[in-house]
Amino acid sequence: MQYLSHSFMKALPNARYKLALLLAICCINLTAVAQSPINYVEYYLDQDPGIGKAIPVTVTPATTITNATFNVDVASLNLGIHILASRARTASGVWSMGHYWFIFKPYVQITPAAVANISKVEYFIDKDPGIGNATAITIATGSNDLQNVAFTINPSTLSKGVHILGSRSMNSNGVWSMTNFWLFNNAFDNIPTPNAAPNITAVEYFVDKDPGIGNATAVSITASNNIVDANINASIGTLGAGTHLIGSRAKDANGSWSMTNYWLFVKPFTNITPTTQVNITSLEYYLDYDPGYGKGIPITITPSINLKDLTFDADLTGIIPGTHYLVARAKDANGNWSMVNNWQFTITGSIPTMTTLVSTTTLCAGS
């Protein structure tokens, strides 16, 4: 089996390319490798004409060809991107795989046309009368760049408030620009003094459910156009304990109602008499591992509803040095157990070493 490989080193801007070709032909067996020289190279652009039918490159036959150069004729190519491909053949007729590169044929530099002078500028307000039909603005001729052009508009015929000003220009070739827009305000003249605020003549409130405007509970007030810190004594005797909603609104002398204002409030629950507390009748403790309710070590107590500052002796017999937990719980006369209370404590000293003795005596059946 034979193999052939080659690669381009770089592409030059004037379409003159440097080619590096390396031939490695191997007869695959256990003992021998043979080489055959490269004696033919060809290339093509864009369309492959077939192996052996592309444009030949002059090379000196050799097993290794480095820095070989050749000229690529790009005169007939369109401007833009193209594909350059090449391949090589050995004297024994073995072809390499094709190698491909993108090349770019630059477009000729296009000289932009001279910018035409601006010959006309026009404007309109609110309604566009159509290109060329708006109000003309006097400008200096012979310029293709007008900056800070000032013009005067007559707002006396406009209604008070916000309006749109649009303007555009045309060059000497008859080409119009896009229209530019601005918002401006035609200020109002002396604004009349607003009418005096009418008095508030009615206030009403409701709790939880709105019965409708004018149908809620009336609040006694003195008519005024500004009522501050008015007090409402809401009747909550029939309400259930818990959270409720109160809403209120006002009406002026012209019959106009305000928006409704809302507040949350809480009607407290009545005092609940707690059940009679029962005595604590038993107390127990355990060390480290819970043996189960009622199975701990009992503590002698006098039954009471409140055991305070109780002390007891815990039996630590057989407890080895280290960290341990003492846990206690209580039970009342109704058989209800409390939550557990626990304390951590440490016994100092060395932990004894555990030794396993293995007898070497072997016992057999019948011994």
Side-chain angles (χ1 to χ4, degrees), residues 12-64:
L12 302 179
N14 62 357
R16 190 168 184 262
Y17 296 90
K18 187 174 292 184
L19 180 67
L21 301 173
L22 175 64
L23 176 65
I25 301 175
C26 303
C27 181
I28 304 302
N29 51 47
L30 295 174
T31 58
V33 175
Q35 291 185 323
S36 178
I38 300 168
N39 65 355
Y40 182 79
V41 177
E42 65 180 16
Y43 78 91
Y44 63 87
L45 294 166
D46 296 334
Q47 185 71 33
D48 189 346
I51 293 177
K53 299 179 180 179
I55 302 169
V57 176
T58 301
V59 295
T60 300
T63 56
T64 300

Coordinates of all heavy atoms in Angstrom, one line a residue, residues 12-64:
L12 N 0.5 33.8 -1.6 CA 1.0 35.2 -1.7 C -0.1 36.1 -2.3 O -0.9 35.6 -3.0 CB 2.2 35.1 -2.7 CG 3.4 34.2 -2.2 CD1 4.5 34.3 -3.3 CD2 3.9 34.7 -0.9
P13 N 0.0 37.4 -2.0 CA -1.1 38.3 -2.4 C -1.3 38.4 -3.9 O -2.4 38.6 -4.4 CB -0.7 39.6 -1.8 CG 0.2 39.3 -0.6 CD 0.9 38.0 -1.1
N14 N -0.2 38.2 -4.7 CA -0.2 38.3 -6.1 C -0.6 37.0 -6.8 O -0.3 36.8 -8.0 CB 1.1 38.9 -6.7 CG 2.2 38.0 -6.4 OD1 2.1 37.0 -5.8 ND2 3.4 38.4 -6.9
A15 N -1.2 36.1 -6.1 CA -1.6 34.8 -6.6 C -0.4 34.0 -7.0 O -0.6 33.1 -7.9 CB -2.6 35.0 -7.7
R16 N 0.8 34.2 -6.5 CA 1.9 33.3 -6.7 C 2.1 32.5 -5.5 O 2.2 33.0 -4.4 CB 3.2 34.2 -6.9 CG 4.4 33.4 -7.4 CD 5.5 34.3 -7.9 NE 6.6 33.6 -8.4 CZ 7.7 33.3 -7.8 NH1 7.8 33.6 -6.5 NH2 8.6 32.6 -8.4
Y17 N 2.0 31.2 -5.6 CA 1.9 30.3 -4.5 C 3.1 29.5 -4.3 O 3.8 29.1 -5.2 CB 0.7 29.4 -4.7 CG -0.6 30.1 -4.7 CD1 -1.1 30.6 -5.9 CD2 -1.3 30.4 -3.5 CE1 -2.3 31.3 -5.9 CE2 -2.4 31.2 -3.6 CZ -2.9 31.6 -4.8 OH -4.1 32.3 -4.8
K18 N 3.4 29.3 -3.0 CA 4.6 28.5 -2.6 C 4.1 27.1 -2.2 O 3.2 27.0 -1.4 CB 5.3 29.1 -1.5 CG 6.6 28.5 -1.1 CD 7.3 29.3 0.0 CE 7.8 30.6 -0.6 NZ 8.6 31.4 0.4
L19 N 4.6 26.1 -2.8 CA 4.1 24.7 -2.6 C 5.2 23.9 -1.9 O 6.4 23.9 -2.3 CB 3.8 24.1 -3.9 CG 3.2 22.7 -4.0 CD1 1.9 22.7 -3.3 CD2 3.1 22.2 -5.4
A20 N 4.8 23.1 -0.9 CA 5.7 22.2 -0.2 C 5.1 20.8 -0.4 O 4.0 20.6 0.1 CB 5.9 22.6 1.2
L21 N 5.8 19.9 -1.0 CA 5.3 18.6 -1.2 C 6.2 17.5 -0.5 O 7.4 17.6 -0.6 CB 5.2 18.3 -2.7 CG 4.4 19.3 -3.6 CD1 4.6 19.0 -5.0 CD2 2.9 19.1 -3.2
L22 N 5.5 16.6 0.1 CA 6.2 15.6 0.8 C 5.7 14.2 0.4 O 4.5 14.0 0.5 CB 6.1 15.7 2.3 CG 6.8 14.6 3.2 CD1 8.3 14.6 2.9 CD2 6.4 14.8 4.7
L23 N 6.5 13.4 -0.1 CA 6.1 12.0 -0.5 C 6.6 11.0 0.5 O 7.7 11.0 0.9 CB 6.7 11.7 -1.9 CG 6.4 10.3 -2.4 CD1 4.9 10.1 -2.7 CD2 7.2 10.1 -3.7
A24 N 5.6 10.1 0.9 CA 6.0 9.0 1.7 C 5.2 7.8 1.3 O 4.0 7.7 1.4 CB 5.6 9.3 3.2
I25 N 6.0 6.9 0.6 CA 5.3 5.7 0.0 C 5.8 4.5 0.8 O 7.0 4.3 0.9 CB 5.7 5.6 -1.5 CG1 5.2 6.8 -2.3 CG2 5.1 4.3 -2.1 CD1 5.6 6.8 -3.7
C26 N 4.9 3.8 1.3 CA 5.3 2.7 2.2 C 4.7 1.3 1.6 O 3.5 1.3 1.3 CB 4.8 2.9 3.6 SG 5.4 4.4 4.3
C27 N 5.6 0.3 1.6 CA 5.1 -1.0 1.3 C 4.9 -1.7 2.6 O 5.9 -2.0 3.3 CB 6.1 -1.8 0.4 SG 5.5 -3.5 0.0
I28 N 3.6 -1.9 3.0 CA 3.3 -2.4 4.4 C 3.6 -3.9 4.5 O 2.9 -4.7 3.9 CB 1.9 -2.1 4.7 CG1 1.6 -0.6 4.6 CG2 1.6 -2.5 6.2 CD1 2.5 0.3 5.4
N29 N 4.7 -4.3 5.2 CA 5.0 -5.6 5.6 C 5.8 -5.6 6.8 O 5.9 -4.5 7.4 CB 5.7 -6.4 4.4 CG 6.9 -5.7 3.9 OD1 7.7 -5.2 4.7 ND2 7.1 -5.6 2.6
L30 N 6.4 -6.7 7.2 CA 7.1 -6.7 8.5 C 8.5 -6.2 8.4 O 9.1 -5.8 9.5 CB 7.1 -8.1 9.1 CG 5.7 -8.7 9.4 CD1 5.8 -10.1 9.8 CD2 5.0 -7.9 10.5
T31 N 9.1 -6.0 7.2 CA 10.5 -5.8 7.2 C 11.0 -4.6 6.3 O 12.0 -4.1 6.5 CB 11.3 -7.0 6.7 OG1 10.8 -7.4 5.4 CG2 11.0 -8.2 7.6
A32 N 10.2 -4.1 5.3 CA 10.7 -3.2 4.4 C 9.8 -2.0 4.1 O 8.6 -2.1 4.2 CB 11.0 -3.9 3.0
V33 N 10.4 -0.8 3.8 CA 9.7 0.4 3.4 C 10.4 1.0 2.2 O 11.6 1.1 2.1 CB 9.8 1.5 4.5 CG1 9.1 2.8 4.0 CG2 9.0 1.0 5.7
A34 N 9.6 1.3 1.1 CA 10.2 1.8 -0.2 C 9.7 3.1 -0.5 O 8.5 3.4 -0.2 CB 10.0 0.8 -1.3
Q35 N 10.5 4.0 -1.2 CA 10.0 5.4 -1.6 C 10.1 5.5 -3.1 O 11.0 4.9 -3.8 CB 10.9 6.4 -0.9 CG 10.7 6.5 0.6 CD 11.5 7.7 1.2 OE1 12.6 7.9 0.7 NE2 11.0 8.4 2.2
S36 N 9.2 6.4 -3.6 CA 9.2 6.7 -5.1 C 9.1 8.2 -5.2 O 8.3 8.8 -4.5 CB 8.0 6.0 -5.7 OG 7.9 6.3 -7.1
P37 N 9.8 8.8 -6.2 CA 9.8 10.3 -6.3 C 8.5 10.9 -6.8 O 7.8 10.2 -7.5 CB 11.0 10.6 -7.2 CG 11.1 9.3 -8.1 CD 10.7 8.2 -7.2
I38 N 8.3 12.1 -6.4 CA 7.1 12.9 -7.0 C 7.6 13.4 -8.3 O 8.7 14.1 -8.4 CB 6.8 14.1 -6.1 CG1 6.4 13.6 -4.7 CG2 5.7 14.9 -6.7 CD1 6.3 14.7 -3.7
N39 N 6.8 13.2 -9.4 CA 7.2 13.6 -10.7 C 6.2 14.5 -11.4 O 6.4 14.9 -12.6 CB 7.6 12.4 -11.6 CG 6.4 11.5 -11.9 OD1 5.4 11.7 -11.4 ND2 6.7 10.5 -12.7
Y40 N 5.0 14.7 -10.7 CA 4.0 15.5 -11.4 C 3.1 16.2 -10.3 O 2.7 15.6 -9.3 CB 3.1 14.6 -12.2 CG 2.0 15.3 -13.0 CD1 2.3 16.0 -14.2 CD2 0.7 15.4 -12.6 CE1 1.3 16.7 -14.9 CE2 -0.3 16.0 -13.3 CZ 0.0 16.7 -14.4 OH -0.9 17.4 -15.2
V41 N 2.8 17.5 -10.5 CA 1.9 18.2 -9.7 C 1.0 19.0 -10.6 O 1.4 19.5 -11.6 CB 2.7 19.2 -8.8 CG1 1.8 20.1 -7.9 CG2 3.7 18.4 -7.8
E42 N -0.3 19.1 -10.2 CA -1.2 19.9 -10.9 C -2.2 20.7 -10.0 O -2.3 20.3 -8.8 CB -2.1 19.0 -11.9 CG -3.0 18.0 -11.1 CD -3.8 17.1 -12.1 OE1 -3.4 17.1 -13.3 OE2 -4.7 16.5 -11.6
Y43 N -2.8 21.7 -10.6 CA -3.8 22.5 -9.8 C -4.9 22.9 -10.6 O -4.9 22.8 -11.9 CB -3.1 23.7 -9.2 CG -2.9 24.9 -10.1 CD1 -3.9 25.9 -10.3 CD2 -1.8 25.0 -10.9 CE1 -3.8 26.9 -11.1 CE2 -1.6 26.0 -11.8 CZ -2.6 27.0 -11.9 OH -2.4 28.0 -12.8
Y44 N -6.0 23.3 -10.0 CA -7.2 23.8 -10.7 C -7.9 24.8 -9.8 O -7.6 24.9 -8.6 CB -8.1 22.7 -11.1 CG -8.8 21.9 -10.0 CD1 -9.9 22.4 -9.4 CD2 -8.2 20.8 -9.6 CE1 -10.5 21.6 -8.3 CE2 -8.7 20.1 -8.5 CZ -9.9 20.5 -7.9 OH -10.4 19.8 -6.9
L45 N -8.8 25.6 -10.4 CA -9.5 26.6 -9.7 C -11.0 26.3 -9.8 O -11.5 26.1 -10.9 CB -9.2 28.0 -10.3 CG -7.8 28.6 -10.1 CD1 -7.6 29.8 -11.0 CD2 -7.6 28.9 -8.6
D46 N -11.6 26.2 -8.6 CA -13.1 26.1 -8.5 C -13.6 24.7 -9.0 O -14.1 23.9 -8.2 CB -13.9 27.2 -9.2 CG -13.6 28.6 -8.6 OD1 -13.3 28.6 -7.4 OD2 -13.7 29.6 -9.3
Q47 N -13.5 24.4 -10.3 CA -14.1 23.2 -10.9 C -13.0 22.2 -11.1 O -12.0 22.4 -11.9 CB -14.8 23.5 -12.2 CG -15.6 22.4 -12.8 CD -16.8 22.0 -12.0 OE1 -17.4 22.8 -11.4 NE2 -17.1 20.7 -12.0
D48 N -13.1 20.9 -10.6 CA -12.1 19.9 -10.8 C -12.4 19.2 -12.1 O -13.4 18.6 -12.4 CB -12.3 18.8 -9.7 CG -11.2 17.8 -9.7 OD1 -10.4 17.7 -10.7 OD2 -11.1 17.1 -8.7
P49 N -11.3 19.3 -13.0 CA -11.5 18.7 -14.4 C -11.3 17.2 -14.4 O -11.5 16.5 -15.4 CB -10.4 19.4 -15.2 CG -9.4 19.7 -14.2 CD -10.1 20.0 -12.9
G50 N -10.8 16.7 -13.2 CA -10.5 15.2 -13.2 C -9.0 15.0 -12.9 O -8.2 15.8 -13.3
I51 N -8.7 13.9 -12.3 CA -7.3 13.6 -12.0 C -6.5 13.5 -13.3 O -6.8 12.8 -14.2 CB -7.2 12.3 -11.2 CG1 -7.8 12.5 -9.8 CG2 -5.8 11.8 -11.0 CD1 -7.9 11.3 -8.9
G52 N -5.3 14.2 -13.3 CA -4.4 14.2 -14.5 C -4.9 15.2 -15.5 O -4.1 15.4 -16.5
K53 N -6.0 15.9 -15.3 CA -6.5 16.9 -16.4 C -6.4 18.3 -15.9 O -6.9 19.2 -16.6 CB -7.9 16.5 -16.7 CG -8.1 15.1 -17.3 CD -9.5 14.8 -17.6 CE -9.6 13.4 -18.2 NZ -11.0 13.0 -18.5
A54 N -5.8 18.6 -14.8 CA -5.7 19.9 -14.3 C -4.5 20.6 -14.9 O -3.8 20.0 -15.7 CB -5.7 20.0 -12.8
I55 N -4.2 21.8 -14.4 CA -3.1 22.6 -15.0 C -1.8 22.1 -14.3 O -1.6 22.1 -13.1 CB -3.3 24.1 -14.7 CG1 -4.6 24.6 -15.3 CG2 -2.1 24.9 -15.2 CD1 -5.0 26.0 -14.9
P56 N -0.8 21.6 -15.1 CA 0.4 21.1 -14.5 C 1.3 22.2 -14.0 O 1.4 23.3 -14.4 CB 1.1 20.4 -15.7 CG 0.6 21.1 -16.9 CD -0.8 21.5 -16.6
V57 N 2.1 21.8 -12.9 CA 3.1 22.7 -12.3 C 4.5 22.0 -12.6 O 4.7 20.8 -12.4 CB 2.9 22.8 -10.8 CG1 4.0 23.6 -10.2 CG2 1.5 23.4 -10.5
T58 N 5.4 22.9 -13.0 CA 6.7 22.4 -13.3 C 7.5 22.1 -12.0 O 7.7 23.0 -11.2 CB 7.5 23.4 -14.2 OG1 6.8 23.6 -15.4 CG2 8.9 22.8 -14.5
V59 N 7.9 20.9 -11.8 CA 8.7 20.5 -10.6 C 9.8 19.6 -11.0 O 9.8 18.9 -12.1 CB 7.8 19.8 -9.6 CG1 6.7 20.7 -9.1 CG2 7.2 18.5 -10.2
T60 N 10.9 19.6 -10.2 CA 12.0 18.6 -10.4 C 11.7 17.4 -9.6 O 11.4 17.5 -8.4 CB 13.3 19.3 -9.9 OG1 13.6 20.4 -10.7 CG2 14.5 18.3 -10.1
P61 N 11.6 16.2 -10.2 CA 11.2 15.0 -9.5 C 12.1 14.8 -8.2 O 13.3 14.9 -8.3 CB 11.4 13.9 -10.5 CG 11.2 14.6 -11.8 CD 11.8 15.9 -11.7
A62 N 11.5 14.5 -7.1 CA 12.2 14.2 -5.9 C 11.3 13.6 -4.9 O 10.0 13.7 -5.0 CB 12.7 15.6 -5.3
T63 N 11.8 12.9 -3.9 CA 11.0 12.3 -2.9 C 10.4 13.4 -1.9 O 9.4 13.2 -1.3 CB 11.7 11.3 -2.1 OG1 12.9 11.9 -1.5 CG2 12.2 10.1 -3.0
T64 N 11.1 14.5 -1.8 CA 10.7 15.6 -1.0 C 10.8 16.9 -1.8 O 12.0 17.2 -2.2 CB 11.4 15.7 0.3 OG1 11.3 14.5 1.0 CG2 11.0 16.9 1.1

